[in-house]
Coordinates of all heavy atoms in Angstrom, one line a residue:
M214 N -57.1 -37.0 15.1 CA -55.8 -37.1 14.4 C -55.7 -36.2 13.3 O -54.6 -35.6 13.1 CB -55.6 -38.6 13.9 CG -54.3 -38.8 13.4 SD -54.0 -40.5 13.3 CE -52.8 -40.6 12.1
F215 N -56.7 -36.0 12.6 CA -56.7 -35.0 11.5 C -56.5 -33.6 12.0 O -55.8 -32.8 11.4 CB -58.0 -35.1 10.7 CG -58.1 -34.2 9.5 CD1 -57.3 -34.4 8.4 CD2 -58.9 -33.1 9.5 CE1 -57.3 -33.5 7.4 CE2 -59.0 -32.2 8.5 CZ -58.2 -32.4 7.4
E216 N -57.1 -33.3 13.1 CA -56.9 -32.0 13.8 C -55.5 -31.7 14.1 O -55.0 -30.6 13.9 CB -57.8 -31.9 15.0 CG -59.3 -31.6 14.7 CD -59.5 -30.3 14.0 OE1 -58.9 -29.2 14.4 OE2 -60.3 -30.2 13.1
K217 N -54.8 -32.7 14.7 CA -53.4 -32.6 15.1 C -52.5 -32.3 13.8 O -51.6 -31.4 13.8 CB -52.9 -33.8 15.8 CG -53.4 -33.9 17.2 CD -52.8 -35.2 17.8 CE -53.3 -35.3 19.2 NZ -52.8 -36.5 19.9
A218 N -52.8 -33.0 12.7 CA -52.1 -32.8 11.5 C -52.3 -31.4 10.9 O -51.4 -30.7 10.4 CB -52.5 -33.9 10.5
K219 N -53.6 -31.0 11.1 CA -54.0 -29.6 10.6 C -53.2 -28.6 11.4 O -52.7 -27.6 10.9 CB -55.5 -29.5 10.7 CG -56.0 -28.2 10.2 CD -57.5 -28.2 10.3 CE -58.1 -26.8 9.9 NZ -59.5 -26.7 10.0
I220 N -53.2 -28.7 12.7 CA -52.5 -27.8 13.6 C -51.0 -27.8 13.3 O -50.4 -26.7 13.2 CB -52.8 -28.2 15.1 CG1 -54.2 -27.9 15.4 CG2 -51.9 -27.4 16.0 CD1 -54.7 -28.4 16.8
R221 N -50.4 -28.9 13.1 CA -49.0 -29.0 12.8 C -48.7 -28.3 11.5 O -47.7 -27.6 11.3 CB -48.5 -30.4 12.8 CG -48.5 -31.1 14.1 CD -48.1 -32.5 14.0 NE -46.8 -32.7 14.6 CZ -46.0 -33.7 14.5 NH1 -46.5 -34.8 13.8 NH2 -44.9 -33.8 15.0
F222 N -49.6 -28.5 10.5 CA -49.4 -27.9 9.2 C -49.5 -26.4 9.3 O -48.6 -25.7 8.7 CB -50.5 -28.4 8.2 CG -50.5 -27.6 6.9 CD1 -49.5 -27.9 5.9 CD2 -51.4 -26.6 6.6 CE1 -49.5 -27.2 4.7 CE2 -51.4 -25.9 5.4 CZ -50.5 -26.2 4.5
H223 N -50.4 -25.9 10.1 CA -50.5 -24.4 10.2 C -49.3 -23.9 11.0 O -48.8 -22.8 10.7 CB -51.8 -24.0 10.9 CG -53.0 -24.1 10.0 ND1 -53.2 -23.3 9.0 CD2 -54.1 -25.0 10.1 CE1 -54.3 -23.6 8.3 NE2 -54.9 -24.7 9.0
D224 N -48.9 -24.6 12.0 CA -47.7 -24.2 12.7 C -46.5 -24.1 11.8 O -45.7 -23.2 11.9 CB -47.4 -25.2 13.9 CG -48.4 -25.0 15.1 OD1 -49.1 -24.0 15.1 OD2 -48.4 -25.9 15.9
L225 N -46.3 -25.2 11.0 CA -45.2 -25.2 10.1 C -45.3 -24.1 9.0 O -44.3 -23.4 8.7 CB -45.2 -26.6 9.3 CG -44.0 -26.7 8.3 CD1 -42.7 -26.6 9.0 CD2 -44.2 -28.1 7.6
K226 N -46.5 -23.8 8.6 CA -46.8 -22.7 7.6 C -46.4 -21.4 8.2 O -45.8 -20.6 7.6 CB -48.2 -22.8 7.2 CG -48.6 -21.7 6.2 CD -50.1 -21.9 5.8 CE -50.7 -20.6 5.6 NZ -52.2 -20.7 5.4
N227 N -46.8 -21.2 9.5 CA -46.5 -19.9 10.2 C -45.0 -19.8 10.4 O -44.4 -18.7 10.3 CB -47.3 -19.9 11.5 CG -48.7 -19.6 11.3 OD1 -49.2 -19.1 10.3 ND2 -49.5 -20.0 12.3
A228 N -44.3 -20.9 10.7 CA -42.9 -20.9 11.0 C -42.2 -20.5 9.7 O -41.2 -19.7 9.7 CB -42.4 -22.2 11.5
V229 N -42.6 -21.1 8.6 CA -42.0 -20.8 7.2 C -42.2 -19.4 6.9 O -41.3 -18.7 6.4 CB -42.5 -21.8 6.2 CG1 -42.1 -21.3 4.8 CG2 -42.1 -23.2 6.4
K230 N -43.4 -18.8 7.1 CA -43.7 -17.4 6.9 C -42.8 -16.5 7.7 O -42.3 -15.5 7.2 CB -45.2 -17.1 7.1 CG -45.6 -15.7 6.8 CD -47.1 -15.5 7.0 CE -47.5 -14.1 6.7 NZ -46.7 -13.0 7.0
G231 N -42.7 -16.9 9.0 CA -41.8 -16.1 9.9 C -40.4 -16.1 9.4 O -39.7 -15.0 9.4
E232 N -39.9 -17.2 8.9 CA -38.5 -17.3 8.4 C -38.4 -16.5 7.1 O -37.4 -15.8 6.9 CB -38.1 -18.8 8.1 CG -37.9 -19.6 9.4 CD -36.8 -19.1 10.3 OE1 -35.8 -18.7 9.8 OE2 -37.0 -19.1 11.5
K233 N -39.4 -16.6 6.3 CA -39.4 -15.8 5.0 C -39.4 -14.3 5.3 O -38.6 -13.5 4.7 CB -40.6 -16.1 4.2 CG -40.6 -15.5 2.8 CD -41.8 -16.0 2.0 CE -41.9 -15.3 0.7 NZ -43.0 -15.6 -0.1
D234 N -40.2 -13.9 6.3 CA -40.2 -12.5 6.7 C -38.8 -12.0 7.3 O -38.4 -10.9 7.0 CB -41.3 -12.2 7.7 CG -42.7 -12.3 7.2 OD1 -42.8 -12.3 5.9 OD2 -43.7 -12.4 8.0
A235 N -38.2 -12.9 8.1 CA -36.9 -12.6 8.6 C -35.9 -12.5 7.5 O -35.0 -11.6 7.6 CB -36.5 -13.7 9.6
V236 N -35.9 -13.4 6.5 CA -35.0 -13.3 5.4 C -35.2 -12.0 4.6 O -34.2 -11.3 4.3 CB -35.1 -14.5 4.5 CG1 -34.4 -14.3 3.2 CG2 -34.6 -15.8 5.2
N237 N -36.4 -11.6 4.4 CA -36.7 -10.4 3.7 C -36.2 -9.2 4.5 O -35.6 -8.2 3.9 CB -38.2 -10.2 3.4 CG -38.7 -11.2 2.3 OD1 -37.9 -11.6 1.5 ND2 -39.9 -11.5 2.3
A238 N -36.3 -9.2 5.8 CA -35.9 -8.1 6.6 C -34.3 -8.0 6.6 O -33.8 -6.9 6.5 CB -36.3 -8.3 8.1
I239 N -33.7 -9.2 6.6 CA -32.2 -9.2 6.5 C -31.8 -8.7 5.1 O -30.8 -7.9 5.0 CB -31.6 -10.6 6.7 CG1 -31.8 -11.0 8.2 CG2 -30.2 -10.7 6.3 CD1 -31.5 -12.4 8.5
K240 N -32.5 -9.0 4.1 CA -32.1 -8.5 2.7 C -32.3 -7.0 2.7 O -31.4 -6.3 2.1 CB -33.0 -9.2 1.7 CG -32.7 -10.6 1.3 CD -33.6 -11.2 0.3 CE -33.3 -12.6 0.0 NZ -34.2 -13.2 -1.0
K241 N -33.3 -6.5 3.3 CA -33.5 -5.1 3.3 C -32.4 -4.4 4.1 O -31.9 -3.3 3.7 CB -34.9 -4.7 3.8 CG -35.1 -3.2 3.9 CD -36.5 -2.8 4.1 CE -36.8 -1.3 4.1 NZ -35.7 -0.4 4.0
S242 N -32.1 -5.0 5.2 CA -31.0 -4.4 6.0 C -29.7 -4.4 5.3 O -28.9 -3.4 5.3 CB -30.8 -5.2 7.3 OG -32.0 -5.1 8.1
V243 N -29.4 -5.4 4.6 CA -28.1 -5.5 3.8 C -28.2 -4.4 2.7 O -27.2 -3.7 2.4 CB -27.9 -6.9 3.2 CG1 -26.8 -6.9 2.1 CG2 -27.6 -7.9 4.3
S244 N -29.3 -4.3 2.0 CA -29.4 -3.3 1.0 C -29.2 -1.9 1.6 O -28.6 -1.0 1.0 CB -30.8 -3.4 0.3 OG -31.0 -2.3 -0.6
D245 N -29.8 -1.6 2.7 CA -29.7 -0.3 3.4 C -28.2 -0.1 3.7 O -27.7 1.1 3.6 CB -30.5 -0.2 4.7 CG -32.0 -0.2 4.3 OD1 -32.4 0.1 3.2 OD2 -32.8 -0.4 5.3
I246 N -27.5 -1.1 4.2 CA -26.1 -0.9 4.6 C -25.3 -0.6 3.3 O -24.4 0.2 3.3 CB -25.6 -2.2 5.3 CG1 -26.2 -2.3 6.7 CG2 -24.1 -2.2 5.4 CD1 -25.9 -3.6 7.4
Q247 N -25.6 -1.3 2.2 CA -24.8 -1.1 1.0 C -25.1 0.4 0.5 O -24.1 1.0 0.1 CB -25.3 -2.1 -0.1 CG -24.7 -3.5 0.1 CD -25.3 -4.5 -0.8 OE1 -26.4 -4.3 -1.4 NE2 -24.6 -5.6 -1.0
D248 N -26.3 0.9 0.6 CA -26.5 2.2 0.3 C -25.8 3.2 1.2 O -25.2 4.2 0.7 CB -28.0 2.6 0.4 CG -28.9 1.9 -0.7 OD1 -28.3 1.4 -1.7 OD2 -30.1 1.8 -0.5
S249 N -25.7 2.9 2.4 CA -25.0 3.7 3.4 C -23.5 3.7 3.0 O -22.8 4.7 3.1 CB -25.2 3.3 4.8 OG -26.5 3.4 5.2
V250 N -22.9 2.6 2.7 CA -21.5 2.4 2.3 C -21.2 3.3 1.1 O -20.2 4.0 1.1 CB -21.1 1.0 2.1 CG1 -19.7 0.9 1.5 CG2 -21.1 0.2 3.5
N251 N -22.1 3.3 0.1 CA -21.9 4.1 -1.1 C -21.9 5.6 -0.7 O -21.1 6.3 -1.2 CB -23.0 3.8 -2.1 CG -22.9 2.4 -2.7 OD1 -21.8 1.9 -2.7 ND2 -24.0 1.9 -3.2
D252 N -22.9 6.0 0.2 CA -22.9 7.4 0.6 C -21.6 7.7 1.4 O -21.1 8.8 1.2 CB -24.1 7.6 1.5 CG -25.4 7.5 0.7 OD1 -25.4 7.6 -0.5 OD2 -26.5 7.4 1.4
I253 N -21.1 6.9 2.2 CA -19.9 7.1 3.0 C -18.7 7.2 2.0 O -17.9 8.1 2.2 CB -19.7 6.0 4.0 CG1 -20.7 6.2 5.1 CG2 -18.3 6.1 4.6 CD1 -20.8 5.0 6.1
N254 N -18.6 6.4 1.0 CA -17.5 6.4 0.1 C -17.6 7.8 -0.7 O -16.5 8.4 -1.0 CB -17.6 5.3 -0.9 CG -17.2 4.0 -0.3 OD1 -16.4 4.0 0.7 ND2 -17.6 2.9 -0.8
E255 N -18.8 8.2 -1.0 CA -18.9 9.5 -1.8 C -18.5 10.6 -0.9 O -17.8 11.5 -1.3 CB -20.4 9.7 -2.2 CG -20.6 10.9 -3.0 CD -22.0 11.0 -3.5 OE1 -22.7 10.0 -3.7 OE2 -22.5 12.2 -3.6
L256 N -18.9 10.6 0.4 CA -18.5 11.6 1.3 C -16.9 11.6 1.5 O -16.3 12.7 1.5 CB -19.1 11.4 2.7 CG -18.7 12.3 3.8 CD1 -19.1 13.8 3.5 CD2 -19.3 11.9 5.1
A257 N -16.3 10.4 1.6 CA -14.9 10.4 1.8 C -14.2 11.0 0.6 O -13.2 11.7 0.7 CB -14.5 8.9 2.0
S258 N -14.7 10.7 -0.6 CA -14.1 11.2 -1.8 C -14.2 12.8 -1.8 O -13.2 13.5 -2.2 CB -14.8 10.7 -3.1 OG -14.6 9.3 -3.2
D259 N -15.4 13.3 -1.4 CA -15.6 14.7 -1.4 C -14.6 15.3 -0.4 O -14.0 16.4 -0.6 CB -17.0 15.1 -1.0 CG -18.0 14.8 -2.1 OD1 -17.5 14.6 -3.3 OD2 -19.2 14.8 -1.9
L260 N -14.4 14.7 0.8 CA -13.5 15.2 1.8 C -12.1 15.2 1.3 O -11.3 16.2 1.6 CB -13.6 14.4 3.1 CG -14.9 14.6 3.9 CD1 -14.9 13.6 5.1 CD2 -15.0 16.0 4.4
Q261 N -11.7 14.2 0.5 CA -10.3 14.2 0.0 C -10.1 15.3 -1.0 O -9.0 16.0 -1.0 CB -10.1 12.8 -0.7 CG -9.9 11.7 0.3 CD -9.7 10.4 -0.4 OE1 -10.0 10.2 -1.6 NE2 -9.2 9.4 0.4
V262 N -11.1 15.6 -1.8 CA -11.0 16.7 -2.7 C -10.9 18.0 -2.0 O -10.0 18.9 -2.3 CB -12.2 16.7 -3.7 CG1 -12.3 18.0 -4.5 CG2 -12.2 15.6 -4.6
Q263 N -11.7 18.2 -1.0 CA -11.6 19.5 -0.2 C -10.3 19.6 0.5 O -9.7 20.7 0.6 CB -12.8 19.5 0.8 CG -14.2 19.6 0.2 CD -14.3 20.9 -0.6 OE1 -13.8 21.9 -0.3 NE2 -15.0 20.7 -1.8
L264 N -9.8 18.5 1.0 CA -8.5 18.5 1.7 C -7.4 18.9 0.7 O -6.5 19.7 1.1 CB -8.2 17.1 2.3 CG -6.9 17.0 3.2 CD1 -6.9 18.0 4.3 CD2 -6.7 15.6 3.7
K265 N -7.4 18.3 -0.5 CA -6.4 18.7 -1.5 C -6.5 20.2 -1.8 O -5.4 20.9 -2.0 CB -6.6 17.9 -2.7 CG -6.1 16.4 -2.6 CD -6.3 15.6 -3.8 CE -5.9 14.2 -3.6 NZ -6.1 13.3 -4.8
K266 N -7.7 20.7 -1.9 CA -7.9 22.1 -2.2 C -7.3 23.0 -1.1 O -6.6 24.0 -1.3 CB -9.3 22.5 -2.4 CG -9.9 22.0 -3.7 CD -11.4 22.4 -3.8 CE -12.0 21.9 -5.1 NZ -13.4 22.3 -5.2
L267 N -7.6 22.6 0.2 CA -7.1 23.3 1.3 C -5.6 23.3 1.4 O -4.9 24.3 1.6 CB -7.7 22.7 2.6 CG -7.4 23.4 3.9 CD1 -8.0 24.9 3.8 CD2 -8.0 22.7 5.1
D268 N -5.0 22.1 1.1 CA -3.5 22.0 1.1 C -2.9 22.9 0.0 O -1.9 23.6 0.3 CB -3.1 20.5 0.9 CG -3.3 19.6 2.1 OD1 -3.5 20.2 3.2 OD2 -3.2 18.4 1.9
F269 N -3.5 22.9 -1.1 CA -3.0 23.7 -2.2 C -3.1 25.2 -1.8 O -2.1 26.0 -2.1 CB -3.8 23.5 -3.5 CG -3.4 24.3 -4.7 CD1 -2.2 23.9 -5.4 CD2 -4.1 25.4 -5.1 CE1 -1.8 24.7 -6.5 CE2 -3.7 26.1 -6.2 CZ -2.6 25.8 -6.9
K270 N -4.2 25.6 -1.2 CA -4.4 27.0 -0.8 C -3.4 27.4 0.3 O -2.9 28.5 0.3 CB -5.8 27.2 -0.3 CG -6.1 28.6 0.1 CD -7.6 28.6 0.5 CE -7.9 30.0 1.1 NZ -9.3 30.1 1.6
N271 N -3.1 26.5 1.2 CA -2.3 26.9 2.4 C -0.8 26.6 2.2 O 0.0 27.1 3.0 CB -2.8 26.1 3.6 CG -4.1 26.7 4.1 OD1 -4.5 27.8 3.9 ND2 -4.9 25.8 4.7
K272 N -0.4 25.9 1.2 CA 1.0 25.5 1.1 C 1.9 26.7 0.9 O 2.9 26.7 1.6 CB 1.1 24.6 -0.2 CG 2.6 24.1 -0.3 CD 2.7 22.9 -1.2 CE 4.0 22.4 -1.4 NZ 5.1 22.7 -0.5
P273 N 1.6 27.7 0.1 CA 2.5 28.9 0.1 C 2.7 29.6 1.4 O 3.8 30.0 1.8 CB 1.8 29.8 -0.9 CG 0.9 29.0 -1.7 CD 0.5 27.8 -0.8
H274 N 1.6 29.7 2.2 CA 1.7 30.3 3.5 C 2.5 29.5 4.4 O 3.4 30.0 5.2 CB 0.3 30.5 4.1 CG -0.6 31.3 3.2 ND1 -0.4 32.7 2.9 CD2 -1.7 31.0 2.5 CE1 -1.4 33.1 2.1 NE2 -2.2 32.1 1.9
L275 N 2.3 28.2 4.4 CA 3.1 27.3 5.3 C 4.6 27.3 4.9 O 5.5 27.3 5.8 CB 2.5 25.9 5.3 CG 1.1 25.8 5.9 CD1 0.6 24.4 5.7 CD2 1.1 26.2 7.4
D276 N 4.9 27.4 3.6 CA 6.2 27.4 3.1 C 6.9 28.7 3.6 O 8.1 28.7 4.1 CB 6.3 27.3 1.6 CG 6.0 26.0 1.1 OD1 6.0 25.0 1.9 OD2 5.7 25.8 -0.1
R277 N 6.2 29.8 3.6 CA 6.8 31.1 4.0 C 7.0 31.1 5.5 O 8.1 31.6 6.0 CB 5.8 32.3 3.7 CG 6.0 32.7 2.3 CD 5.4 34.1 2.1 NE 4.3 34.5 2.9 CZ 3.0 34.5 2.4 NH1 2.7 34.1 1.2 NH2 2.0 34.9 3.3
I278 N 6.1 30.5 6.3 CA 6.3 30.3 7.7 C 7.6 29.5 8.0 O 8.4 29.8 8.9 CB 5.1 29.7 8.4 CG1 3.9 30.8 8.3 CG2 5.3 29.3 9.8 CD1 2.6 30.2 8.7
D279 N 7.7 28.4 7.3 CA 8.9 27.5 7.5 C 10.2 28.3 7.2 O 11.2 28.2 7.9 CB 8.8 26.3 6.6 CG 7.8 25.2 7.1 OD1 7.5 25.3 8.3 OD2 7.4 24.4 6.3
E280 N 10.2 29.1 6.1 CA 11.4 29.8 5.7 C 11.7 30.9 6.8 O 12.8 31.1 7.2 CB 11.1 30.5 4.4 CG 11.1 29.6 3.2 CD 10.7 30.2 1.9 OE1 10.5 31.5 1.9 OE2 10.5 29.5 0.9
A281 N 10.6 31.6 7.3 CA 10.9 32.6 8.3 C 11.4 31.9 9.6 O 12.3 32.5 10.2 CB 9.6 33.3 8.6
Q282 N 10.9 30.8 9.9 CA 11.3 30.1 11.1 C 12.8 29.7 11.0 O 13.6 29.8 11.9 CB 10.5 28.9 11.4 CG 10.8 28.1 12.7 CD 9.9 26.9 12.9 OE1 9.1 26.5 12.1 NE2 10.0 26.4 14.1
T283 N 13.2 29.2 9.8 CA 14.6 28.8 9.6 C 15.5 30.1 9.7 O 16.5 30.0 10.3 CB 14.7 28.2 8.1 OG1 13.9 27.1 8.1 CG2 16.1 27.8 7.9
R284 N 15.1 31.2 9.1 CA 15.9 32.4 9.2 C 16.0 32.9 10.6 O 17.1 33.3 11.1 CB 15.2 33.6 8.3 CG 15.5 33.5 6.9 CD 15.1 34.8 6.2 NE 13.9 35.4 6.6 CZ 12.7 35.2 6.1 NH1 12.6 34.4 5.0 NH2 11.6 35.8 6.6
I285 N 14.9 32.8 11.4 CA 15.0 33.3 12.8 C 15.9 32.4 13.6 O 16.7 32.8 14.4 CB 13.6 33.3 13.4 CG1 12.7 34.4 12.8 CG2 13.6 33.4 14.9 CD1 11.2 34.3 13.1
T286 N 15.8 31.1 13.3 CA 16.7 30.1 14.1 C 18.1 30.4 13.7 O 19.0 30.4 14.6 CB 16.3 28.7 13.7 OG1 14.9 28.5 14.0 CG2 17.1 27.7 14.5
E287 N 18.4 30.6 12.5 CA 19.8 30.8 12.0 C 20.3 32.1 12.6 O 21.5 32.2 13.0 CB 19.9 30.8 10.5 CG 19.7 29.4 9.9 CD 19.6 29.5 8.4 OE1 19.6 30.6 7.8 OE2 19.6 28.4 7.8
T288 N 19.5 33.2 12.6 CA 19.9 34.5 13.1 C 20.2 34.4 14.6 O 21.2 34.9 15.1 CB 18.8 35.5 12.9 OG1 18.6 35.6 11.5 CG2 19.2 36.9 13.4
L289 N 19.3 33.7 15.3 CA 19.5 33.5 16.8 C 20.8 32.7 17.1 O 21.4 33.0 18.1 CB 18.3 32.9 17.4 CG 17.0 33.7 17.5 CD1 15.9 32.9 18.1 CD2 17.3 34.9 18.4
A290 N 21.1 31.7 16.2 CA 22.3 30.9 16.5 C 23.5 31.8 16.2 O 24.6 31.5 16.8 CB 22.2 29.7 15.5
A291 N 23.4 32.8 15.4 CA 24.6 33.6 15.1 C 25.0 34.6 16.3 O 26.1 35.0 16.4 CB 24.4 34.4 13.9
F292 N 24.0 34.9 17.1 CA 24.3 35.8 18.3 C 25.1 35.0 19.3 O 24.9 33.8 19.6 CB 23.0 36.2 18.9 CG 22.3 37.3 18.2 CD1 21.1 37.0 17.5 CD2 22.8 38.6 18.2 CE1 20.4 38.0 16.8 CE2 22.1 39.6 17.5 CZ 20.9 39.3 16.8
P293 N 26.0 35.8 19.9 CA 26.9 35.1 21.0 C 26.0 34.8 22.2 O 25.1 35.6 22.5 CB 27.9 36.1 21.3 CG 27.4 37.4 20.8 CD 26.4 37.1 19.7
K294 N 26.3 33.8 22.8 CA 25.6 33.4 24.0 C 26.2 34.1 25.2 O 27.4 34.2 25.3 CB 25.6 31.9 24.2 CG 25.0 31.2 23.0 CD 24.4 29.9 23.4 CE 23.9 29.3 22.2 NZ 22.9 28.6 22.1
N295 N 25.4 34.6 26.1 CA 25.8 35.3 27.3 C 26.2 34.2 28.3 O 25.5 33.3 28.6 CB 24.8 36.2 27.9 CG 24.5 37.4 27.0 OD1 25.3 37.8 26.2 ND2 23.3 38.0 27.1
K296 N 27.4 34.4 28.9 CA 27.8 33.5 29.9 C 27.7 34.2 31.2 O 28.2 35.3 31.4 CB 29.3 33.0 29.7 CG 29.4 32.1 28.5 CD 30.8 31.6 28.4 CE 30.9 30.7 27.2 NZ 32.3 30.2 27.0
K297 N 27.1 33.7 32.2 CA 26.9 34.3 33.5 C 27.9 33.8 34.5 O 28.3 32.8 34.6 CB 25.5 34.1 34.0 CG 24.5 34.9 33.1 CD 23.1 34.8 33.7 CE 22.1 35.6 32.9 NZ 20.9 35.6 33.5

C-alpha cells in the first residue's frame, strides 16, 4: 500500500512538473509574440515614413502628368469629329 501511494505521489509530481513546463513554454511563446509584434509595429512605422517621403518626392511629377493629361483631353475635345 505504501508503494502505491509512493507511485501515485511520483506520478502527481511528474504531472505537476509537466504542467509547470508547459506553462513556462506558453509564457515564453507569448513573450516571443509580443517581441515580434513590437518589431512589426516598428517596421510598419518605418514603411509609413518611407511612403510619405515617396509621395512627397513624386507629387510634383504626378501633378504635372495630371495637368498634361487634362490639356491633351481638352485639346482633343476641341477638334471637330470626322463623320463618315
Side-chain angles (χ1 to χ4, degrees):
M214 183 162 158
F215 180 69
E216 281 297 317
K217 286 183 181 180
K219 184 177 174 183
I220 291 171
R221 290 176 109 191
F222 173 75
H223 285 295
D224 288 345
L225 181 62
K226 182 177 140 185
N227 289 336
V229 169
K230 184 180 182 317
E232 291 298 319
K233 184 176 178 183
D234 290 344
V236 168
N237 288 337
I239 290 172
K240 285 180 181 178
K241 180 164 181 356
S242 295
V243 168
S244 175
D245 291 345
I246 289 171
Q247 287 173 336
D248 290 343
S249 296
V250 167
N251 290 336
D252 292 343
I253 290 169
N254 287 336
E255 185 177 328
L256 176 64
S258 295
D259 289 345
L260 287 173
Q261 287 176 342
V262 168
Q263 293 300 322
L264 183 61
K265 286 180 183 177
K266 286 180 182 179
L267 187 63
D268 285 344
F269 180 77
K270 180 181 175 183
N271 289 331
K272 183 161 179 20
H274 303 292
L275 295 173
D276 288 345
R277 279 199 326 259
I278 290 170
D279 285 341
E280 290 170 7
Q282 184 178 10
T283 302
R284 278 194 319 267
I285 291 169
T286 303
E287 289 172 355
T288 303
L289 287 175
F292 283 107
K294 302 209 182 215
N295 291 336
K296 292 185 180 179
K297 291 185 179 185

